[in-house]
Amino acid sequence: MKIMVVGGGGREHAIIKNLRKSPKAEVIYALPGNGGIASDAECADIRATDIEAVVDFARAKAIDYAVVAPDDPLAMGCVDALNEAGIRAFGPDKKAAEIEASKIFSKNLMKKYGIPTAGYEVFGESGAALEYLKTSPVPVVIKADGLALGKGVVIAETREEAAEAVRSMMEEKKFGDSGNRIVIEEFLTGPEVSVLSFTDGKTLVPMVSSMDHKRALDGDRGLNTGGMGAVAPNPYYTEEIAERCMKEIFLPTIEAMKAEGRVFKGCLYFGLMLTEEGPKVIEYNCRFGDPETQVVLPLLESDLLEVMEAVTDGRLSETEVKFADKCACCVVLASGGYPGSYEKGCEITMGQMDSNVEVFVAGASLQDEMLKTSGGRVMGVTAVADTLAEAIDSAYRNVKKIEFEKVHYRTDIGKRALEAERK
Ligand code: AMP
Ligand code: GLY
C-alpha cells in the first residue's frame, strides 16, 4: 500500500515509524515531514493546511491510505476532501473534528449528554464576560473557543488576571477569530491523565494511558509548552477509574456524537482530570496527542495500519488492539528559550542509541546532509522498559548522547508518576 501521513512533528514521526512495521506498507510519504522523518518516509514540501495541494498530491501518487494527524487540517475538512477524491483516510471529518475545534461545541455537548466536566459559561462579547468575572470565584479558567496552537487557555489566579485574559482574547484578538467567543470555566484540581482511543463511531478502544508534562521547567514551573515529555502508563489511572471513564465518559461521548449526526472516526483524545468527585473531561482532541503518541505507540503490539483501516472501515470490534505490558518514557529536547524565542540552525550530533530507544524528530531540517535544529521542540527520546523507573533511566542515559547548542530538557519527566506508583 502507498501511504501518506499529513503533518511534520514528533507525533507524525512516531506514527510513521510504527506504520513502517506493517508488512502492508510499501511506501510512506510525509507532508511536509521534517529532516528526521526523512530517514523513514519520503517527504514532500506541502503544508498540512494546504488541503488542495494535499489532495492533488494524493491523487498524483495514487495513495491508497492517508493519515491526517494535526488538528488544523482535520478542522478544515482534509478528510472530507480526501474522501471526496476517493481516497480512504484516517481521522474525523470536519463535522466530527468540531469536538476539538470549538470548546463551546464540546462543552455544550457534555452538558447536553451529562458527561462530567467543569462548570462553565459562554460569552460572545467582553462586557458580559468582564461583568461575570466581578463575582466569580478564583482561580478561574478562560478558554478561547477556537484552535489557538494549544495556547488558548489561561488559568487566572486573580480577577484582574482573568479580566486581562478576556480583553486580550476578545478585544485585542490575540488568537484572531478563535477568541470571538470564550468559555469561562470552573477551576478543577487533581491529577491529569491523557487517554487516546481508537474509535470507528460504534466501538471505542482506549490505548494505554499516559501523562503529559506541559510546563517548560522542572517541578512544573515556567511557561506552558506543547509538551516536554510523557510517560505511559499513567499510574493514577487505575483499572477502577478506567472502567468508570469508559461508562461515564468514553462511550457516552461517541454516542453523543452519533446522536448529533457527527459520527467520530479516528483517534479521540480525552484529557481528563481525576477530581475528588470523579474523573472529568478537561478537553477533547480530535487526534493523537503530542508528546503522548511518542510513548503510547511504541507500546502498541498490534499492526497500527490494520487498526487504522479497521477504524476507517467501521470494523474495529473485530480487530485486536494489543499493548505491551511495559512502560515508556519520552524526554523532549528543545531549543534553549522555547517556548519563547530561540535560535535555529544548530548542528545536531547523535551517538548510537540503545536498542530499546527510539528518537522521534519534531523540529529539525536537513542542511548539507547535516541535521540542524529548526523548531522549538527538536526531538523526543523514548525508552521502553519493564518498569517505569527503568524507562526513565534509560531515556535520560540516551538523551545524553544527543548534543546541540543550548539544548534544553526537563530532568524530572516521570518523577511525579514514580512517586504516585510508590504510594
Ligand atoms: P487545554 O488546552 O484545554 O488542554 O488546557 C491546558 C491545561 O490547562 C490543561 O492540561 C490543564 O492543566 C489546565 N486546565 C484546563 N482547564 C482546566 C480547569 N477547568 N481546571 C483546572 N485546570 C485546567
Ligand atoms: N499533549 C496535548 C496535546 O496534544 O494537545
Side-chain angles (χ1 to χ4, degrees):
M1 279 172 76
K2 287 187 189 165
I3 299 166
M4 168 178 104
V5 175
V6 177
R11 161 185 59 203
E12 287 76 8
H13 201 183
I15 291 171
I16 287 167
K17 270 189 189 278
N18 209 302
L19 286 173
R20 269 184 61 144
K21 294 193 236 163
S22 174
K24 277 166 79 179
E26 292 162 50
V27 197
I28 304 182
Y29 296 98
L31 281 61
N34 65 44
I37 290 177
S39 4
D40 292 292
E42 282 187 41
C43 296
D45 191 15
I46 293 172
R47 271 183 305 121
T49 47
D50 188 345
I51 308 294
E52 227 180 278
V54 168
V55 174
D56 285 348
F57 179 89
R59 273 213 194 93
K61 296 286 183 190
I63 294 296
D64 298 300
Y65 193 64
V67 177
V68 183
D71 49 1
D72 290 333
L74 289 167
M76 290 165 74
C78 190
V79 167
D80 312 55
L82 286 165
N83 289 344
E84 275 159 31
I87 296 151
R88 289 159 71 233
F90 181 86
D93 63 13
K94 186 175 172 161
K95 273 171 91 179
E98 193 78 354
I99 199 166
E100 172 170 3
S102 169
K103 301 246 191 238
I104 296 175
F105 170 78
S106 70
K107 294 299 288 189
N108 290 344
L109 184 87
M110 288 186 269
K111 190 186 212 171
K112 181 169 171 188
Y113 293 91
I115 298 164
T117 187
Y120 71 102
E121 297 286 337
V122 171
F123 296 94
E125 49 107 9
S126 61
L130 294 169
E131 195 54 39
Y132 172 83
L133 285 174
K134 284 186 183 158
T135 54
S136 73
V138 282
V140 64
V141 185
I142 319 288
K143 297 186 173 181
D145 174 46
L147 297 176
L149 297 169
K151 299 189 177 92
V153 175
V154 173
I155 315 257
E157 302 289 339
T158 64
R159 294 208 174 114
E160 292 70 45
E161 262 179 63
E164 181 46 43
V166 166
R167 277 188 223 106
S168 84
M169 285 181 198
M170 302 190 89
E171 293 170 7
E172 290 149 30
K173 302 272 173 217
K174 186 170 176 196
F175 304 115
D177 287 343
S178 285
N180 287 350
R181 296 194 295 161
I182 61 163
V183 174
I184 298 186
E185 198 173 275
E186 170 198 10
F187 175 76
L188 300 177
T189 52
E192 286 186 60
V193 181
S194 306
V195 179
L196 286 63
S197 69
F198 291 109
T199 177
D200 60 5
K202 301 173 284 190
T203 303
L204 180 141
V205 183
M207 299 181 221
V208 60
S209 64
S210 54
M211 184 192 284
D212 192 1
H213 295 66
K214 282 193 197 290
R215 301 293 203 92
L217 307 175
D218 283 9
D220 291 325
R221 290 174 304 111
L223 294 172
N224 253 324
T225 71
M228 293 300 293
V231 294
N234 184 324
Y236 288 105
Y237 193 68
T238 60
E239 240 165 75
E240 187 198 332
I241 292 173
E243 265 173 44
R244 238 183 119 172
C245 288
M246 193 68 172
K247 245 192 348 241
E248 295 173 15
I249 296 174
F250 304 164
L251 294 177
T253 299
I254 60 166
E255 287 305 322
M257 290 297 276
K258 196 157 67 186
E260 294 291 311
R262 295 172 189 261
V263 173
F264 190 102
K265 286 181 169 198
C267 172
L268 183 54
Y269 167 122
F270 299 89
L272 305 170
M273 194 171 271
L274 308 181
T275 73
E276 279 183 1
E277 293 168 27
K280 295 192 180 184
V281 177
I282 288 285
E283 64 160 346
Y284 292 115
N285 289 330
C286 66
R287 51 171 174 88
F288 286 95
D290 203 0
E292 288 93 331
T293 303
Q294 301 183 48
V295 285
V296 169
L297 288 187
L299 296 175
L300 179 68
E301 285 183 337
S302 309
D303 183 317
L304 177 62
L305 182 55
E306 295 274 356
V307 177
M308 285 182 156
E309 286 192 277
V311 164
T312 306
D313 301 342
R315 41 179 182 78
L316 185 60
S317 65
E318 305 154 25
T319 308
E320 190 190 46
V321 185
K322 204 166 166 270
F323 284 87
D325 190 14
K326 292 190 172 203
C327 298
C329 172
C330 171
V331 177
V332 170
L333 282 74
S335 301
Y338 171 78
S341 60
Y342 51 83
E343 246 174 77
K344 293 182 187 176
C346 304
E347 275 185 21
I348 304 169
T349 59
M350 267 167 76
Q352 181 70 36
M353 297 288 131
D354 294 340
S355 62
N356 63 320
V357 171
E358 285 187 292
V359 176
F360 303 119
V361 176
S365 58
L366 276 175
Q367 292 166 29
D368 311 323
E369 303 196 6
M370 266 298 301
L371 204 54
K372 295 191 178 171
T373 63
S374 65
R377 287 189 294 174
V378 177
M379 49 179 69
V381 174
T382 296
V384 172
D386 288 334
T387 66
L388 183 58
E390 286 171 75
I392 295 169
D393 280 351
S394 171
Y396 277 109
R397 263 199 316 278
N398 285 274
V399 159
K400 298 207 170 73
K401 301 178 192 171
I402 300 174
E403 285 177 25
F404 55 88
E405 222 175 294
K406 301 203 182 115
V407 57
H408 164 69
Y409 55 87
R410 278 180 59 162
T411 63
D412 65 346
I413 301 300
K415 188 170 170 226
R416 238 171 345 109
L418 264 188
E419 285 163 8
E421 209 180 55
R422 285 179 184 139
K423 268 186 203 153

